[in-house]
Amino acid sequence: MLNLPVRLLGVLLYCFCSFAFSSPASAQSYEKLYSDYRDSLYQIRLIEKSSNSKAGLGSGFQISPDGLIATNYHVVAEAVRDPDKYQLEYLSVDGTKGKLTLLDIDVINDLALLQQDKPGPDHLLLAEDTPKKGETIISLGNPLDLGMTLIPGTYNGIASGSFYDRIHFAGSINPGMSGGPAINTRGRVVGINVATAGNQVSFLVPVEKLAALLKHFRTQNNKLDLKQVTYQQLLANQRRIIDAVLKAEWSKRSLGEAKVVGEIVPAIQCWGNTLEDDDNPVKRIDKGCTGQDVVFLADDFNTGRVEYEFFWLEADDKLLPSRFYAEYEAQMSSFYPGNSAGEDDVTNFRCKQAFTSQARDGEASPSKPAHNKMEPTIARTSYCVRRYKDFPDLYDIFFLSLSVDQKNRALVSHFTLSGFTRESAAAFTEKFTSEIQWH
């Protein structure tokens, strides 16, 4: 990833005002919903053992008489990562506190199942029918540690443009509401609070994902190695993504005098920008494409990203090649991987460098006449890999290719794959490099 001056990041902030009820009738019905289901709602607390103090807060809800609680994985992730440092507790609406045991997780859909030490008096039922678009649903949770709150909004179906199913909820979710339920007017859970983009654009995990996690837990006889569960989920997820990407029709798009990869699948969106300044003789055209969501594993570790970028640089023929390449090097010196990971999570990158060729199609360009055969363009290519320490066979792959044989033209290609197998990465690399072509 290049740190561009202008760039749409498309980052969703994990779960994060008030709502003015439109009529006394609405207020009365919401008040009844709250009074009917308040005993099913809990604040989930991440407690730092040494200080015996709160280190994180979220929301959760009881889903069975025996005290199973559902929440988001990102609410409890630090307790999964470092159980010696953190423990989990719950706080009920009436002030009752207790211990929580982590039972099962779904890192792909950001869900977790917990067990109360003492089951609460009530629980919520999971909906078996899908709301209609435009139907009112109500998000419940504990925003900013202010107490349980109801936020009515609108169900808008599954949001498009993602590798991961998320319900588009037209309502405002605030920090601390992560993991709380969204219910229909009959009190059945239809989704789980997970993220917001602000301006009453929020997202919920569909309740079917929670039902599947509950079934998984029940069929495993309550004996689960959560690290192994995570590994299997990540492995299946990268296979699902790479299969979808490789089976899709890869469209080419013109970029300067080259053709590069466009939007492969709806979950990968592309954006462009041109940098042109009278004080800088080198013009640059940028094209960046990225999957809109990632899989959260910890505060400083995410995975499941597919990202690729292209940069076309050109200058007038009068510009000396030495000056062109000095500017080229200055602009292309700050690449980094598209996902975050710490030294406890991954090894250092190991890179292989080589000179490779990029095909030329023989078509006419603004500065070159058409020919039947044209020599390929030469590029300096780096292929870098870092291994996941806790998850064998999963890697981050960082690819960078810079053309080096044109005196006043250059094409830069980059991609990041995070959390993929070597076989998946090799298949993507072969396809990706074969699609790049100069006019």
Side-chain angles (χ1 to χ4, degrees):
M1 178 186 290
L2 183 67
N3 185 15
L4 300 178
V6 179
R7 182 179 178 84
L8 180 62
L9 296 177
V11 173
L12 299 180
L13 303 176
Y14 276 97
C15 268
F16 328 99
C17 189
S18 61
F19 185 90
F21 297 117
S22 58
S23 69
S26 296
Q28 185 177 5
S29 62
Y30 295 139
E31 181 181 358
K32 187 176 188 310
L33 281 172
Y34 180 76
S35 64
D36 286 347
Y37 301 112
R38 66 189 298 274
D39 290 336
S40 305
L41 307 175
Y42 296 89
Q43 184 183 84
I44 308 300
R45 297 180 161 195
L46 179 71
I47 304 297
E48 204 268 336
K49 292 181 181 179
S50 296
S51 63
N52 194 30
S53 299
K54 292 180 291 187
L57 296 175
S59 299
F61 55 102
Q62 189 172 332
I63 59 172
S64 69
D66 58 350
L68 288 181
I69 285 184
T71 188
N72 285 146
Y73 173 76
H74 75 260
V75 171
V76 302
E78 292 305 314
V80 177
R81 195 183 199 189
D82 195 349
D84 293 332
K85 183 176 181 180
Y86 298 102
Q87 65 186 27
L88 297 168
E89 297 180 356
Y90 65 85
L91 176 68
S92 70
V93 173
D94 64 7
T96 301
K97 294 181 181 180
K99 302 291 185 182
L100 288 168
T101 302
L102 187 61
L103 300 178
D104 201 356
I105 56 177
D106 178 352
V107 298
I108 307 304
N109 291 295
D110 203 351
L111 294 173
L113 280 180
L114 310 166
Q115 176 70 59
Q116 293 171 281
D117 56 356
K118 296 179 181 179
D122 203 358
H123 67 281
L124 289 169
L125 299 177
L126 307 186
E128 296 182 355
D129 56 332
T130 301
K132 297 178 181 178
K133 278 195 175 185
E135 184 176 329
T136 296
I137 57 176
I138 301 95
S139 172
L140 304 167
N142 192 333
L144 304 173
D145 201 14
L146 296 174
M148 284 296 167
T149 300
L150 289 79
I151 298 180
T154 305
Y155 177 88
N156 291 288
I158 299 297
S160 60
S162 175
F163 286 118
Y164 312 101
D165 288 343
R166 296 291 184 264
I167 294 169
H168 173 199
F169 171 62
S172 295
I173 299 175
N174 287 284
M177 295 184 69
S178 294
I183 61 176
N184 58 28
T185 54
R186 299 179 299 283
R188 301 295 189 265
V189 179
V190 297
I192 300 88
N193 305 331
V194 69
T196 183
N199 297 318
Q200 296 198 17
V201 178
S202 299
F203 299 93
L204 315 170
V205 179
V207 72
E208 310 90 76
K209 307 298 184 182
L210 177 56
L213 177 60
L214 182 59
K215 181 179 179 181
H216 177 265
F217 171 69
R218 297 292 195 197
T219 57
Q220 298 298 312
N221 297 319
N222 302 355
K223 295 180 180 179
L224 292 167
D225 179 340
L226 295 185
K227 185 177 291 187
Q228 183 64 18
V229 168
T230 301
Y231 169 62
Q232 293 298 331
Q233 291 173 356
L234 294 177
L235 195 64
N237 184 60
Q238 67 87 33
R239 187 178 300 116
R240 177 178 64 90
I241 291 175
I242 205 68
D243 286 349
V245 168
L246 294 179
K247 289 178 182 177
E249 182 178 351
W250 289 37
S251 61
K252 293 181 182 179
R253 296 289 184 267
S254 293
L255 187 74
E257 296 174 14
K259 289 183 179 179
V260 298
V261 179
E263 293 179 349
I264 301 172
V265 293
I268 297 175
Q269 298 182 15
C270 299
W271 306 90
N273 185 47
T274 299
L275 299 176
E276 191 170 14
D277 191 333
D278 290 340
D279 295 331
N280 190 330
V282 177
K283 174 183 177 180
R284 195 181 87 198
I285 307 172
D286 305 344
K287 185 180 185 67
C289 305
T290 184
Q292 298 304 294
D293 299 305
V294 295
V295 175
F296 178 98
L297 294 177
D299 288 338
D300 57 354
F301 186 21
N302 60 67
T303 187
R305 179 178 291 280
V306 177
E307 171 190 83
Y308 48 95
E309 299 174 311
F310 303 96
F311 306 90
W312 174 261
L313 294 90
E314 64 179 38
D316 188 275
D317 288 342
K318 297 178 182 178
L319 186 70
L320 292 174
S322 58
R323 186 178 177 191
F324 173 79
Y325 273 89
E327 179 64 27
Y328 177 18
E329 182 178 4
Q331 291 195 30
M332 296 293 118
S333 61
S334 58
F335 278 93
Y336 55 91
N339 69 308
S340 60
E343 61 181 14
D344 292 335
D345 307 308
V346 296
T347 63
N348 292 327
F349 274 110
R350 299 182 65 179
C351 300
K352 293 182 178 180
Q353 293 189 342
F355 286 97
T356 60
S357 61
Q358 296 172 337
R360 299 178 70 93
D361 62 12
E363 295 178 2
S365 71
S367 61
K368 300 285 186 180
H371 296 287
N372 291 329
K373 291 184 178 180
M374 300 183 70
E375 292 296 324
T377 294
I378 305 302
R380 186 177 75 242
T381 299
S382 297
Y383 187 88
C384 303
V385 176
R386 64 183 179 189
R387 178 177 55 83
Y388 285 18
K389 292 182 177 179
D390 288 338
F391 308 116
D393 303 325
L394 292 178
Y395 303 84
D396 288 341
I397 293 88
F398 180 84
F399 173 92
L400 181 63
S401 176
L402 304 96
S403 66
V404 294
D405 64 337
Q406 306 295 309
K407 70 175 185 177
N408 56 7
R409 300 285 189 272
L411 175 67
V412 178
S413 309
H414 155 252
F415 71 75
T416 294
L417 300 177
S418 59
F420 285 76
T421 64
R422 286 184 180 271
E423 293 77 13
S424 293
F428 182 89
T429 304
E430 181 179 1
K431 178 69 173 173
F432 181 85
T433 54
S434 70
E435 294 293 323
I436 300 170
Q437 194 173 64
W438 286 59
H439 293 322

